[in-house]
């Protein structure tokens, strides 16, 4: 049998708002912990805006890391021409190629493909 409790709507709304605030604080604490542990990084607004505006994620993260196409190619073992073709959307790149580029940039494969 279900036990029921009746409370005024105002009290219900207050409790619900408090629960939402607590969930927000817990999300904030988890995000700060991931940053402190080096599991996440903050991306400067100008780079985030470039991503939001649809610019190639590969180009944005390469610029963020201060790498040239040639330096990224050398670090990842991918040909420079392939890096350029992926950045300009002439090629998509295989999963293996994108994974090598993501590893060289220190980002997840999802960061380059979403």
């Amino acid at each position: 049998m279900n036990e029921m409790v009746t409370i005024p709507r105002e009290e219900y709304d207050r409790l619900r708002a408090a629960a939402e605030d607590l969930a927000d604080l817990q999300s904030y604490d988890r995000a700060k912990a991931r940053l402190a542990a080096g599991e996440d990084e903050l991306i400067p607004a100008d780079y985030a805006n470039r991503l939001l505006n649809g610019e190639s994620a590969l180009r944005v993260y390469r610029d963020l890391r201060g790498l040239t196409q040639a330096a990224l190619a050398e670090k990842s073992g991918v040909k420079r021409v392939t890096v350029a073709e992926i950045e300009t959307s002439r090629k998509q790149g295989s999963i293996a190629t994108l994974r090598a580029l993501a590893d060289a940039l220190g980002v997840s494969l999802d960061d380059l493909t979403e």
Side-chain angles (χ1 to χ4, degrees):
M1 174 134 161
N2 292 335
E3 291 188 38
M4 305 264 308
V5 175
T6 303
I7 59 173
R9 178 62 175 204
E10 185 177 291
E11 179 67 6
Y12 170 79
D13 291 341
R14 187 191 67 74
L15 289 170
R16 190 163 178 191
E20 289 174 4
D21 289 345
L22 178 60
D24 290 344
L25 288 170
Q26 290 170 331
S27 292
Y28 173 82
D29 289 342
R30 284 191 301 273
K32 292 292 280 185
R34 285 191 308 271
L35 285 170
E39 297 169 6
D40 270 344
E41 71 175 309
L42 296 176
I43 298 175
D46 52 332
Y47 291 95
N49 287 333
R50 289 171 61 187
L51 290 169
L52 292 171
N53 289 331
E55 189 172 339
S56 163
L58 180 59
R59 178 179 293 141
V60 173
Y61 283 108
R62 179 179 59 76
D63 288 347
L64 179 63
R65 301 293 188 247
L67 297 171
T68 63
Q69 287 180 348
L72 177 58
E74 184 176 327
K75 188 173 181 179
S76 65
V78 173
K79 293 180 182 179
R80 191 209 57 80
V81 172
T82 302
V83 172
E85 289 174 334
I86 294 170
E87 283 188 359
T88 58
S89 299
R90 285 189 296 246
K91 284 190 177 178
Q92 287 184 335
S94 69
I95 295 296
T97 297
L98 292 173
R99 188 177 321 275
L101 292 166
D103 289 346
L105 292 168
V107 299
S108 74
L109 185 58
D110 286 344
D111 288 332
L112 293 185
T113 58
E114 290 184 345

